[in-house]
Amino acid sequence: MSAVMWAAAAAAGYLAGSVSFTRIVTRLLRPGEPLKPAEVPVEGTDMIYKVTATGATAASMQLGGRAGCAIGLLDMLKAAIPVLIFRLLYPDELYLLAAAVAAMAGHNWPVFHRFRGGRGISAYYGGLLVIDWVGALVTAAVGMLAGFLIVKDFFVAYMAGLWLLVPWMALLTGRWEYVLYAVVVNVLYMVAMLPDIRQYTTIKK
């Protein structure tokens, strides 16, 4: 494996991930009107949940579900493309993992937008679907079921798919590189989610 190719994969993934389709679609649909942080009243309280991320979720609240869905798909695609390119060009190497991690980092902290981006879930799934589409579907489905039916907590349901990726990669691949990939994307997501986690814990109290 070449250090130059690892760097190239990371650079390609990061630059692709830094493209903010939320901002692009907002400018197309609402010229001259920037996307503002959304505020959601918390039912049964006088508290307000502030959506500070610039991603598909925030866009759907202000532009509508169709626009939010389109942005989510575009965010998945921008991560999937560099990962797919490196998978096809170097099928026996693991450069695609660097592209996937970097695409998620670019989405969360885009160089083109003062490092203010989304939370990375769409970019995460875009890369993972190329790496292991079965794992993406299984971990997401099991995580959602466990969160809603067993724990009965929306936040757990939202996060569990990422958590389950670590044991999935360990059991299915047996390779430390894939396990490290799973751990790193979890860390990236948790760091990006810190503002939301703080609000969530305050609301739960």
Side-chain angles (χ1 to χ4, degrees):
M1 289 187 287
S2 166
V4 173
M5 292 310 305
W6 278 105
Y14 180 76
L15 292 175
S18 291
V19 176
S20 177
F21 284 110
T22 298
R23 292 177 172 90
I24 292 171
V25 172
T26 299
R27 288 169 186 166
L28 291 174
L29 296 180
R30 295 183 178 180
E33 185 178 338
L35 192 70
K36 300 176 182 178
E39 296 186 349
V40 183
V42 179
E43 187 176 352
T45 73
D46 58 353
M47 301 180 69
I48 299 294
Y49 183 88
K50 294 182 179 181
V51 181
T52 58
T54 304
T57 301
S60 65
M61 293 178 179
Q62 300 180 50
L63 303 177
R66 289 184 180 180
C69 183
I71 291 168
L73 291 173
L74 289 169
D75 284 341
M76 292 177 68
L77 190 61
K78 73 181 181 183
I81 288 175
V83 177
L84 181 60
I85 288 173
F86 280 91
R87 177 169 188 165
L88 294 176
L89 291 178
Y90 304 96
D92 299 322
E93 304 290 350
L94 297 178
Y95 304 132
L96 76 168
L97 299 181
V101 169
M104 187 174 175
H107 178 83
N108 293 354
W109 302 283
V111 67
F112 306 128
H113 303 286
R114 300 180 181 180
F115 306 102
R116 297 175 182 174
R119 298 296 183 248
I121 197 70
S122 296
Y124 159 72
Y125 278 111
L128 181 57
L129 283 168
V130 177
I131 295 169
D132 181 3
W133 66 269
V134 175
L137 297 178
V138 171
T139 55
V142 173
M144 293 290 283
L145 289 173
F148 284 124
L149 299 181
I150 299 175
V151 184
K152 297 181 180 180
D153 188 289
F154 174 80
F155 185 76
V156 173
Y158 195 70
M159 298 284 292
L162 282 103
W163 299 338
L164 290 173
L165 185 65
V166 177
W168 174 271
M169 286 300 187
L171 293 173
L172 268 293
T173 70
R175 299 188 62 172
W176 68 266
E177 296 96 338
Y178 283 92
V179 176
L180 179 61
Y181 155 75
V183 171
V184 171
V185 293
N186 266 276
V187 171
L188 291 178
Y189 187 67
M190 291 297 290
V191 171
M193 282 287 290
L194 282 176
D196 299 284
I197 293 172
R198 294 191 187 101
Q199 289 191 76
Y200 180 79
T201 54
T202 301
I203 291 169
K204 290 290 285 185
K205 290 178 181 179

